């Protein structure tokens, strides 16, 4: 049996002092919805100007929105004085039609972080734990903190090989989980869990447990999608986002897809707010761009494969990613390497406590990854022993979060 964990504990995911403001019992009820951006920012060894240096630390897409999406934004701006709910309906309708879903089984949100947070809030509680993979995306653990649920982290199976979710162990980890969270492909490893394992989870999870299948990165790989479980009326909620392949992280658009009764519970926590019409227009244009997914998937895959091949030729082990991020085993404390790279204005992703010698690397542009090779070689040939990232200036420590508390 795996121990339950406190994500706010010192050896948990909170490794920067500015998260401490949220750790007091009185603050728990108002914990913010934490996103990849917050978590990446929390790990940035010193305050970094996003316009300076190379940022391969937040699984963003340096290509940004597509040309069609940019034009759609420009075209819709003059109508920015209106709410235009019809645009949301249109967007949902296009997605539902493309995927063969009923429109009632899709709700749009400003990104997928909100429905992720709400799903955990809606279906976990003090008596209904969250089961998640380790290393895995931390946001659901923070939501569990709000609902008072315990968190059970189950190590990935075959960590030196496929690094897939250990579905049988996850199902055995609790008798009555409220939510089992499956991230496919997984953040941070970029690895996919075989379809047969996901089918096993759907078939064998306790009948009132919700399987939350996070497909934030699914467009980047060929793995089978999980929307068919929704069509079959299973206890499954699938999350999609426009933040990754579509390059709209700063614009904010995503979907929760599930049975209408499950979606009703999720949206009752905050799903009816009007969405920015610029993001709705850009998302619509992105969905209607027939070549976008395949073109971008190929570009990112090429850069990823070249980077992974180079690292392998240099003797390093990486997770077999099918996504825009991977874990790189640096064979010494990842913190030191992260700090040394940051000193060169090369910002790489965070370290998970379960794998302290690995760093998450986001696949940037081809040029950025060539710069990474150079800096990484220099850093690994230097003595990094004892290097610790300096704290952020005090005045910046809480700044990004104050409006959320
Ligand atoms: N899920 C996973 C696994 C992620 O990595 C992210 C962001 O990086 C998200 C969800 C949420 O992204 P967003 O709120 O931008 O859609």
């Amino acid at each position: 049996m795996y121990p339950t964990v406190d994500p706010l504990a010192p050896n948990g995911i909170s490794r920067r002092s500015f998260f401490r403001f949220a750790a007091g019992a009185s603050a728990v009820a108002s914990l913010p919805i934490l996103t990849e951006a917050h978590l990446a920012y929390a790990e940035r060894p010193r305050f970094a100007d996003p316009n300076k240096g190379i940022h391969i630390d937040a699984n963003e897409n340096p290509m940004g929105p597509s040309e069609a999406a940019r034009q759609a934004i420009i075209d819709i701006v003059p109508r920015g004085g209106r709410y235009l709910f019809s645009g949301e309906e249109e967007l949902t309708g296009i997605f539902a039609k493309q995927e063969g879903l009923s429109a009632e089984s899709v709700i749009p949100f400003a990104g997928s972080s909100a429905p992720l947070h709400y799903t955990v809030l809606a279906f976990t509680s003090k008596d209904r734990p969250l089961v998640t993979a380790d290393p895995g995306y931390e946001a659901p653990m923070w939501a569990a903190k709000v609902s008072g649920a315990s968190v059970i982290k189950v190590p990935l199976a075959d960590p030196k090989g496929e690094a897939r979710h250990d579905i049988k162990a996850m199902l055995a980890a609790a008798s009555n989980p409220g939510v089992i969270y499956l991230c496919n492909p997984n953040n941070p490893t970029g690895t996919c869990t075989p379809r047969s394992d996901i089918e096993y989870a759907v078939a064998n999870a306790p009948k009132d447990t919700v399987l939350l299948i996070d497909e934030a990165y699914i467009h980047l790989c060929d793995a089978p999608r999980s929307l068919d479980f929704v069509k079959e009326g299973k206890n499954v909620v699938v999350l999609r986002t426009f933040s990754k392949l579509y390059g709209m992280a700063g614009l904010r658009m995503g979907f929760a897809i599930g049975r209408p009764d499950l979606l009703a519970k999720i949206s009752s926590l905050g799903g009816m707010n009007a969405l920015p019409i610029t993001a709705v227009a850009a998302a619509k244009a992105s969905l209607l761009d027939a070549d976008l997914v395949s073109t971008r998937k190929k570009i990112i895959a090429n850069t990823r494969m070249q980077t992974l091949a180079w690292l392998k030729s240099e003797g390093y082990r990486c997770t077999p990613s099918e996504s825009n991020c991977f874990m790189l085993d640096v064979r010494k404390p990842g913190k030191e390497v992260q700090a040394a790279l940051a000193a060169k204005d090369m910002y790489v992703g965070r370290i998970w406590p379960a794998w302290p010698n690995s760093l998450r690397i986001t696949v940037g542009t081809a040029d950025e990854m060539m710069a990474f090779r150079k800096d990484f070689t220099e850093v690994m040939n230097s003595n990094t022993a004892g290097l610790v990232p300096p704290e952020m200036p005090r005045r910046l420590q809480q700044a990004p979060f104050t409006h959320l508390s």
Side-chain angles (χ1 to χ4, degrees), residues 191-210:
T191 48
C192 289
T193 294
R195 168 73 182 192
S196 53
D197 286 357
I198 299 179
E199 282 171 1
Y200 185 90
V202 175
N204 293 288
K207 82 173 181 359
D208 57 351
T209 294
V210 169

Side-chain angles (χ1 to χ4, degrees), residues 34-37 58-60 110-116 137 139-140 181 183-187 214-217 239-244 248-250 252-254 350 360:
L34 289 169
T35 67
E36 176 58 49
N59 290 357
E60 295 156 328
S112 61
S113 294
L116 192 165
Y137 186 45
Y181 174 74
C183 190
N184 198 44
N186 189 39
N187 177 5
D214 188 337
E215 295 193 335
Y217 302 91
L239 300 176
R240 290 280 179 92
T241 182
F242 287 83
S243 294
K244 307 301 170 183
M248 288 178 42
R252 316 298 300 138
M253 187 53 57
R350 55 190 179 275
R360 190 191 66 191

